[in-house]
Amino acid sequence: MSYTDILYAEADGIATITINRPDKMNAFRAQTCEELIDALNRAAWSKEIGVIVLGGAGERAFCTGGDQSAHSGKYDGRGTIGLPIEEVHSLIREAPKPVIARVQGYAIGGGNVLCTVCDFTIASEKAIFGQVGPRVGSVDPGFGTAYLARVVGEKKAREIWYLCRRYSAAEALAMGLVNAVVPHEELDAEIARWCAEILEKSPTAIAIAKRSFNADTDHIKGIGAMGMQSVALYYDTDEAQEGTNAFKEKRKPEFRKYVK
């Protein structure tokens, strides 16, 4: 596959996958997901690769979730909601090697979910985390919710989703969503240090450990599949479409008038 929405590079045992849509705050559309799926498969099963780094181009954002300009009742590709993001999540978990989220800016909505699903998240002190679904008529009803509760605790996960607040890198570290926070200019050096440590370890032992961790939470994939079917139906409602329309029109949504 030739890539238009991502960048892919391999060097010294490290595969770097970068969402390359800085003009869209690295929000993903269906094409982005297809390219991420291809790149993750490529890196996951290469014997030359021991660690994968997932990032976003530019300085402003790691990823801000689904591209609302490609969403009008449904996204612009295949899958239950027209966006095969569940496959991206599954591949991050199924890759038999660690995946590190490199977060230099906003990790919002689906970007926050990517941070949740990755094995490690290393953040610049400028990074900002949070959810946006209930603000725009959407939700991630699988790893983005149930697994997030495993990562940060259920009370905090409910706060993140119900209130859609923004959290600093320091706050994300305190809640356990992030592994390390460093000065912005030291981000790549810190990630290089983590990669070097990983590459010194037994890849088979790490693969077994990752599979063992995943075994405890793999049922969430089923929860997500059922939840995405509900989201597909929800996207057809006036309430959900009010969120999308309000976002595009840059106004505050009026959800409650559409509640049935």
Side-chain angles (χ1 to χ4, degrees), residues 8-122:
Y8 183 87
E10 295 182 2
D12 302 321
I14 303 165
T16 302
I17 302 171
T18 306
I19 300 173
N20 189 31
R21 306 187 80 220
D23 57 318
K24 297 287 187 180
M25 299 282 280
N26 295 319
F28 47 74
R29 55 181 178 167
Q31 178 65 27
T32 319
C33 292
E34 298 290 4
E35 293 181 20
L36 287 170
I37 289 165
D38 186 84
L40 285 164
N41 265 316
R42 182 174 169 183
W45 306 108
S46 169
K47 288 183 167 43
E48 304 302 315
I49 299 301
V51 60
I52 301 167
V53 176
L54 177 64
E59 292 297 312
R60 295 184 66 199
F62 163 71
C63 175
T64 54
D67 182 354
Q68 293 299 300
S69 68
H71 173 42
S72 181
K74 189 176 182 181
Y75 286 96
D76 59 337
R78 65 184 176 87
T80 306
I81 62 169
L83 191 72
I85 191 62
E86 307 107 297
E87 291 183 41
V88 176
H89 298 162
S90 293
L91 282 168
I92 289 170
R93 286 171 57 86
E94 291 165 10
K97 54 203 65 172
V99 182
I100 300 174
R102 174 195 181 275
V103 184
Q104 83 288 23
Y106 287 101
I108 303 296
N112 194 77
V113 177
L114 289 175
C115 291
T116 302
V117 175
C118 285
D119 297 277
F120 304 117
T121 299
I122 312 297

